[in-house]
Amino acid sequence: MNDILDLPAERGLPPEAALAMRARILGFASPPPARTPRLRVAVAAVLLLAVACGVAAVGWDRPARSPGQVLAMGQGELSPTLRDAAEWCLQWNSPRRQAPGERPVPVSLADLAVAVERGGRVLVLFMNDVGYATCDVEWAGTARVSGGGATEPWPHGEWLPGPVQRLLLISTEPDGGDVSVGGRVSPRVHRLVIDHGDGHTTAARLSAGVFGLLTSDARLRAGNDPELVSYDAGGAEIDRRPLFQPEDQLEHCYAGPDGKRIYGRPASGCRAAEKWRR
């Protein structure tokens, strides 16, 4: 693991917005730990939209040792390491650690939706009716713990871009490798998978309007165009979208109840946004 922090790309942002984004994403413990996580942009456009669109994309280096893999849905499934990471996340996302003018989302352990552990790294995602908070934690459960977090109210409340909204994407390689995904789904979704594009699929776990997915049986390759695929209660496919595509580049646009576009590129004939119900 390198001891270098690669900050997110800032092209396309005004200087003030770039500084605010850096302050929001990097919520380090005080005093600064000896080791800090190395974040790299898996999809640059997605990370630039982490604040505006409620999407976080993070990649981490594969540990030299064989990593353990854990996917927890809710606080009742947390291991001691995951619980320690979640508690650090709550500290980093407290109002006193936010940049001036920011609007932190008040979250508690009861709001924990998805936690993923891979080797010495943990990603935690909290969600409630107000918004989301997420953290990248290294060496949780030890004196060397370090990491950072981001928090933001929902940009469009309970409305989703169709039946699924990806909120967190983790990959061991840019646009590929071992991938973990978390987000929200509408009540129409009864099954959700990643179609690897090579004959493999990985099923997500669904719980109270939240999904979590951890690939381990096969490694994703961007060249195979992996997709998130949603199915209804009858097993019919209801949505298919590229896994690594940011919300402002969705193939279809999505409109709220008033007919105004709230997701996707400007286009005519937007599809209806769908409600998130927990």
Side-chain angles (χ1 to χ4, degrees):
M1 184 71 64
N2 295 323
D3 293 350
I4 300 172
L5 179 69
D6 295 335
L7 295 175
E10 295 171 359
R11 58 183 180 275
L13 288 178
E16 295 83 3
L19 289 174
M21 181 186 73
R22 291 156 68 101
R24 191 190 324 247
I25 293 177
L26 305 180
F28 295 108
S30 179
R35 292 175 58 88
T36 55
R38 181 173 187 246
L39 306 184
R40 36 172 227 280
V41 179
V43 186
V46 178
L47 189 49
L48 287 174
L49 290 167
V51 173
C53 294
V55 177
V58 178
W60 65 52
D61 292 333
R62 179 186 299 277
R65 63 187 181 280
S66 176
Q69 299 183 3
V70 179
L71 171 65
M73 302 287 289
Q75 64 170 322
E77 299 182 2
L78 295 179
S79 67
T81 299
L82 290 178
R83 183 171 294 272
D84 184 78
E87 290 173 349
W88 275 106
C89 188
L90 292 174
Q91 291 185 43
W92 292 332
N93 281 307
S94 66
R96 63 187 178 84
R97 291 186 176 272
Q98 304 306 311
E102 297 301 318
R103 295 185 298 158
V105 174
V107 294
S108 68
L109 199 60
D111 297 317
L112 191 141
V114 181
V116 178
E117 181 179 2
R118 200 186 287 275
R121 310 297 294 277
V122 176
L123 266 288
V124 186
L125 176 63
F126 295 88
M127 282 189 266
N128 57 30
D129 292 338
V130 179
Y132 83 102
T134 183
C135 284
D136 174 28
V137 186
E138 183 180 12
W139 305 114
T142 74
R144 305 170 65 188
V145 66
S146 61
T151 177
E152 185 72 9
W154 299 122
H156 304 295
E158 61 186 345
W159 296 104
L160 311 180
V164 61
Q165 182 179 40
R166 190 201 70 198
L167 296 170
L168 183 67
L169 171 65
I170 315 152
S171 62
T172 54
E173 298 175 5
D175 294 1
D178 296 325
V179 173
S180 305
V181 191
R184 342 185 250 177
V185 294
S186 77
R188 283 208 300 155
V189 179
H190 284 252
R191 184 168 178 259
L192 179 69
V193 304
I194 290 181
D195 182 346
H196 294 222
D198 59 0
H200 291 86
T201 61
T202 301
R205 289 183 60 194
L206 302 176
S207 176
V210 175
F211 77 89
L213 189 151
L214 176 66
T215 64
S216 58
D217 57 339
R219 302 187 65 197
L220 289 169
R221 299 186 184 278
N224 292 332
D225 299 322
E227 297 176 301
L228 271 178
V229 187
S230 306
Y231 300 88
D232 65 15
E237 181 179 311
I238 57 176
D239 186 77
R240 179 179 289 265
R241 63 187 64 187
L243 175 63
F244 294 101
Q245 191 175 60
E247 284 181 351
D248 69 332
Q249 297 297 316
L250 293 172
E251 180 182 357
H252 304 285
C253 60
Y254 297 88
D258 58 2
K260 293 183 179 179
R261 178 182 61 87
I262 56 177
Y263 291 107
R265 294 175 288 185
S268 60
C270 289
R271 298 182 176 184
E274 299 188 23
K275 277 190 175 183
W276 177 49
R277 295 191 183 95
R278 301 191 70 179

